[in-house]
């Protein structure tokens, strides 16, 4: 039996998954509520980490220590960073990294890695699933930091330095933790805003739509894991 861990930062990002996976068994550990379901031959463990990198990293380590997942999915919403990426498109990360830290601190000191790759097999399953559901997708870098990006100047700076496809607040921490534990990892993000001066307005309008689309993709992926 394989086990998939699904991490969302906010309750709203997991609401549709929990509605479609009723009768969960729950396990409370280190302040996190883990919801456990059996989907075919796969155990699905879904958990709300809380927002930002510390919450995400602690939650990921507790998930790994408690359930020994065969793969971890970081899911949720994100800000789009490239002009060809539109609201409600999905970005499939091929790698994740922080945008608010000098990367040499990670590269030149433990863990001697500053950019964390996602699992190629999981990327392919995600692409095939999105194609089946006719959802526009983009594969590229996702960056994370300790702020909701809704400023044109800050967005331009991140783009110039790192050329990401999307920006969020958790993926790099989850990828960092998965890398240290050698657990296959994937970040999937549905675009809820353009991370610009209109970002907060767009986020409020499209968050629920984006979260539902994310649930459609992830639960379909579970069937093919």
């Amino acid at each position: 039996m394989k086990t998939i861990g699904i991490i969302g930062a906010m309750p709203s990002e997991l609401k549709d998954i929990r509605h479609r996976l009723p009768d969960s068994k729950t396990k409370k550990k280190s302040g996190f509520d883990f919801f456990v379901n059996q989907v075919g031959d796969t155990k699905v463990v879904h958990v709300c980490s809380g927002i930002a990198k510390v919450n995400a990293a602690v939650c990921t380590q507790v998930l790994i220590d408690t359930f020994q997942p065969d793969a971890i999915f970081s899911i949720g919403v994100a800000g789009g960073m490239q002009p060809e990426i539109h609201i409600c498109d999905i970005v499939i990360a091929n790698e994740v990294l922080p945008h608010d830290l000098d990367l040499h601190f990670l590269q030149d000191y433990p863990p001697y890695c500053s950019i964390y790759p996602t699992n190629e097999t999981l990327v392919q399953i995600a692409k095939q699933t999105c194609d089946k559901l006719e959802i526009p997708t983009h594969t590229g870098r996702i960056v994370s930091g300790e702020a909701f990006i809704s400023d044109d100047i800050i967005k331009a700076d991140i783009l110039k330095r790192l050329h990401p496809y999307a920006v969020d607040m958790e993926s790099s921490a989850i990828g960092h933790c998965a890398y240290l534990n050698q657990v296959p990892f994937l970040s999937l993000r549905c675009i809820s805003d353009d991370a610009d001066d209109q970002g907060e307005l767009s986020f409020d309008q499209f968050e629920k739509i984006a979260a539902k689309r994310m649930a459609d993709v992830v639960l379909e992926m579970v069937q093919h894991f």
Side-chain angles (χ1 to χ4, degrees), residues 20-203:
R20 291 162 60 178
L21 295 178
D23 304 318
S24 302
K25 296 180 180 180
T26 59
K27 183 178 181 66
K28 192 175 187 71
K29 184 76 172 179
S30 300
F32 299 102
D33 293 317
F34 295 90
F35 292 75
V36 183
N37 294 86
Q38 192 69 32
V39 180
D41 295 328
T42 303
K43 180 188 291 186
V44 177
V45 182
H46 39 110
V47 58
C48 180
S49 67
I51 295 170
K53 290 185 289 186
V54 172
N55 279 330
V58 174
C59 182
T60 304
Q61 191 61 57
V62 175
L63 169 67
I64 291 169
D65 290 343
T66 306
F67 295 98
Q68 297 81 49
D70 298 285
I72 294 173
F73 295 167
S74 168
I75 71 161
V77 295
M81 294 293 282
Q82 298 291 340
E84 69 271 20
I85 297 174
H86 304 293
I87 289 174
C88 291
D89 288 0
I90 285 181
V91 173
I92 303 167
N94 63 356
E95 59 187 18
V96 297
L97 64 154
H99 66 71
D100 56 355
L101 176 66
D102 188 331
L103 295 182
H104 97 84
F105 290 123
L106 297 174
Q107 191 67 46
D108 298 339
Y109 302 93
Y112 305 107
C113 179
S114 58
I115 300 174
Y116 307 104
T118 58
N119 180 268
E120 293 182 4
T121 298
L122 295 178
V123 169
Q124 291 305 314
I125 294 173
K127 288 180 179 179
Q128 293 166 7
T129 300
C130 289
D131 287 344
K132 178 181 178 180
L133 297 175
E134 299 182 341
I135 298 172
T137 61
H138 312 267
T139 302
R141 171 179 285 185
I142 293 179
V143 298
S144 308
E146 301 297 305
F148 179 85
I149 305 302
S150 58
D151 183 286
D152 287 338
I153 295 174
I154 295 173
K155 177 179 180 178
D157 174 67
I158 295 171
L159 275 170
K160 182 178 180 180
R161 290 187 291 112
L162 300 172
H163 313 291
Y165 279 47
V167 60
D168 67 15
M169 298 177 69
E170 298 83 25
S171 286
S172 71
I174 298 171
H176 186 154
C177 192
Y179 171 83
L180 289 174
N181 288 272
Q182 298 183 320
V183 178
F185 157 75
L186 180 66
S187 179
L188 291 165
R189 296 285 164 158
C190 190
I191 300 303
S192 60
D193 60 272
D194 290 326
D196 56 13
D197 287 343
Q198 302 300 315
E200 292 185 7
L201 178 63
S202 299
F203 179 87

